[in-house]
Amino acid sequence: MSLRIRRLAISNFRKFREPFAIEGLSDGLNIIIEPNETGKSTVLEALRAAFFVRHSTKNQLASSYAPYGENVAPEIEVGFDIAGEQWSVAKKLLKSPSIEVRGPTGRDQGEAAEERLQQLLGFERDSSRSRDLNTYGALGLLWVGQAEALEVSAPGRMVRDSVHATLEAEVGAIMGGGSYDRVRARVDQQYAELWTATGRPTGKQALAKERLETAEAASKIASERLAALEASFSELESDHSRLRVLDKELADDTETHARKNLVASTETARSAAQLLHTRRAEYQAVAGKARGLEELLQRHDAAKAALTVTSQKADKSRIARSEIAAEMALACDRANAAKAAHTEARTNYNAARVLLTGGEKQVEAARIAAASEAARQRHCKLISLEEGLASAKAVKAAGISVGDLTNLDELERAILKSRIELEAAATRIELVGSTEGITIQGKPLGVGEQILDGETRIELEGGATLIIRPPAASASTSARLVKSQAALADMLTKLGHSDVSVARNAHDASRQAEGEIKTLLTQIEALTQPDTLLDLRAGPEALKLLVAAMTNVPASGIIEHPDIAALKLAVEEMEITSARAEGAHDAAIEALRKLEEQDRPLAAAEVEAASDQRNATALVADIEAHADFAALTDALAEARGSAADYAVKLAEAEQNASAHDIAAIERKIAVIDARAAAANGTKRKLETDIARLEGTIESEGGKGLAQRAAAALEEAEAASLAYGRIREEAETIKLLRDTLELARLETSRTYVGPVAKRAKRHVERLLPGCELSYSEDLGLQSIIRGNIDEGCGNLSRGTQEQLGILTRLAVADMLLEQGRPVSLILDDPLVFSDDARLDLMTEILLDASKRMQVILLTCRDRAFRHVEGARLSLSPTSKSA
């Protein structure tokens, strides 16, 4: 049962802001060839929205249907046929959403309309997954968007179930039989009592596990408390021992005397450090002044050198520009001369073109005159032929048909037959001698033989009468003869002929006239062919109208024919001359451009050099105007001497400061203080721990922790045994369930063969000698060629796309066998196919269009322009009013 889309109308849907409609889709192949960005993919998206997206949804997908930047309600209307019945759906989204489905059973609106669509097309009703094509049923697999054919994944659950139902008779296996269902239901019930759907323990298994965990936790706590009590005794003895050792360390005063000596030496170290800081500041001041004077001298030397370089560069730039100026002037003169020559050549070329155009018009006029004269002559012949045609038609009209002639022959044969029979059964009399006074039936009796076919009276002389009665059988023959003669006379009267021979001659003449009519019509058709030169259409009436409208047309011999060849030669020569002049002009301009390009960097370099020269001169003047520049040499020598003296003093201060390092002294004091603080802290912690341990021993010692630990351990062992039994039961149920599932999957594998068989007849044409391998869920896994199994992911994108389409065709054929609504829509298909495979895939799609409706949306005009099918357009001419 093929689904056939008949009409699609959309408004306010993405790029189609104005109302738009596609009409006249055929049952077979429909091709829409349009450039990119014209809305082909939008057409497919509109069909999906009309059928599968709930009218009341306002998710991101539905919001994307509105034109960008506009707050309007997208509307879609689709007319379609299913099982020969006409249906339509009209849907409005986002603003005041609505839906109406019309069909043979009447109208449905709202939720009833959604359910009606679901029943008709067989898809899942799940608006939360409106982007999941698997919920669209068979059409989600067969309506293929851009690049979706590259995905050779398994079809959705609904499609697989339909395929399984179709193939059960072929594979001889019935999944989910009565026995299987009862066993599986019981196993699933027991499984649900012990396991969750995700495989986690539940029910009595969870309770047993919880009992075990509780018992083990209680046993662990009791054991830990007993171990902690026993450890407290050992820890208490250890803490007492450490406290005695620590008390001895704190009673030693060696580090106290060392700290007093270190504090005394810090004053000497601070004085040395202060002197070092002073000497360092003095040295930095003198050294900084010396560096400033040295830097001033270096800047002056660098500025003088830069002034020399920039002066030389400016001189070179001026010389280079003066050398190229003369060449530029000469090139400019040449360019002007070439331009003038080019202008003159173009003028001459245009004049030659004018002469050629005039000559061609004269030749065209001569051709029109000759054609007009030929048309007059054809018109004369046409009149003669039409007169003969009228005569032939009159002769044909006077003839009789073959049927009438046959009827006349049959009547004539019937009369002849009746006469022969009558003569055979009639009475014969013959009179010899004188017949005077003898009459027969009131008429004189002649001499010779007489045939009597009925009762006859012969009057003899003397008043006697001789009555002759022939046999009775001749009466019926005589009646048939009379009847046949009457019928023949009536038919001849109706046909307008005196006898049969005349009618037969009229029929022969009619047949001859019919052949003559065909000959005349052929001659007339040959005589009245179209003539584009005179804008003459084919047919006698067009020729007559043309001749009737001819006025003041000159005869063909009056118009002079110019020498077109010479004019064309002159145009070509002028064009060559113009081209050469244009080339010379372009060459002169190019030469001038190159000189200008050479001059441009020279001019920039000259300007830049002049600017650098000015900047260098200004920099030298600024440095020489500095206050220290006049006595720079003497001041620099004096500053260097002072820096050397202060460097000696700084070295002495650094030596004194290094002998009394206050930082090292303070670090030693900090170490002694930290060691004392740590010892006191450790002592406090030990005393606290001893008090805590003594309290714990006093509190826990009389609670019978050993007996409690033993009882908790016994409970844990009992809980472990109970949990082991329930766990074994649960694992057994799980193993049984998994075994049943494996058996079901093994049965499911038997469905793969028929799918591959249906796809093989297409694949054999595409990849001779190859086999397809499918997974249990009918997903295409690999191809096998040359005993090598290649995964789909390793194939070229073109082959993946082709196999994806062929797999969809195989599934579509199986769904057709089941009577499911099926159609195939491909958006920009076979984009990765080479020419040979594209032609082969096109043939396969053409063959499929004989079984189902196929709609191709493509931008590849060259690839599909030759394919036979209904051609549709998305151009403005197809928009609805």
Side-chain angles (χ1 to χ4, degrees), residues 364-380 531 533-536 543 546-556 559:
E364 183 71 12
R367 291 175 60 200
I368 292 175
S372 300
E373 181 62 27
R376 288 193 184 95
Q377 295 176 3
R378 285 192 290 161
H379 179 261
C380 294
D531 191 339
L533 188 63
L534 297 176
D535 194 17
L536 174 63
L543 180 60
L546 177 67
V547 173
M550 285 183 179
T551 56
N552 300 326
V553 178
S556 60
I559 301 177

Side-chain angles (χ1 to χ4, degrees), residues 706-741:
Q707 292 82 358
R708 292 184 180 182
L713 179 60
E714 183 178 351
E715 171 62 18
E717 291 175 351
S720 177
L721 291 174
Y723 178 67
R725 291 193 300 270
I726 295 176
R727 179 72 177 179
E728 183 179 359
E729 178 185 355
E731 291 295 337
T732 302
I733 293 297
K734 185 176 183 181
L735 176 61
L736 178 58
R737 185 174 182 269
D738 292 343
T739 302
L740 288 174
E741 180 64 17

